[in-house]
Amino acid sequence: MKVYDWPTGPYPARVRIALAEKNLQSDVEFVPVNLWKGEHKTPTFLAKNYSGTLPVLELDDGIYLAECTAITVYLDALAGDSALTGRTPLEKGVVQMMTKRAEIEMLDAISIYFHHATPGLGSDVELYQNREWGLRQRDKALRGMHYFNAVLRKQSFIAGEVFSMADIAVIGGFIFADIVELPIPQECRALLSWFARMQERPSVREQLEIVAPTH
Ligand code: GTS
């Protein structure tokens, strides 16, 4: 298998963490795609992923899987038990719901802030920016952090009492928040202490050392 990725990117980090959790890293060849040079918007790359985003998983028979959630579902089903995406029907539903919420309310919101209200990937790549929209998404992400803080005051992990794909999505949010220098509000104590716990996991610690060596 190949993973088209960018080593310091928050979304590719989600797949790298999932690969490490499933002990599958050695089965994968990583192919860097330079976002800053806009390599993800070339016709060759768009033929692999219509959305022009990373990461993309290429299977040995040439099938491409894009979207972190879809890739993680695939990897989780490939090896071991399906701990990352839920073992029971209810767990599976809750993990999907909380992963989508992590994206909408935090990670994707920070990404939109980055692409619209900061220089983003630079003027050669960012062909359309809407600063007002970007700033609204930053505020949405801050509200999302308070939401996840409230969730974590009642349970150990984002989707319940088991580490899952939803935790990985919020970790992606922390990585992006660090890149755009958006501090997690200090009053979000449950969220911050959850993140400290997450860093005890080798899969997460290893990624943070790559994307943000100061952690
Ligand atoms: N919904 C997609 C997913 O879950 O895979 C989003 C992927 C995404 O936005 N990836 C970023 C990207 O390709 C990579 S990174 O920001 O984490 O490095 N961004 C480039 C762009 O132009 O949006």
Side-chain angles (χ1 to χ4, degrees), residues 5 35 38 40-41 62 89 92-93 96 130 158 175 186 209 214:
D5 92 329
L35 294 173
H40 57 305
K41 301 299 181 197
K92 284 181 194 298
Q96 288 285 342
N130 182 330
I158 299 292
I175 293 171
Q186 281 306 307
E209 276 159 17
T214 51

Side-chain angles (χ1 to χ4, degrees), residues 11 106-117 137 176 180:
Y11 290 87
M106 188 172 169
L107 175 57
D108 291 355
I110 298 172
S111 175
I112 295 169
Y113 165 64
F114 170 73
H115 289 291
H116 285 274
Q137 293 296 312
F176 222 148
V180 300

Side-chain angles (χ1 to χ4, degrees), residues 38-43 45-46 51-53 125:
E39 287 176 2
H40 57 305
K41 301 299 181 197
T42 60
F45 187 79
L46 292 174
S51 302
T53 56
V125 182

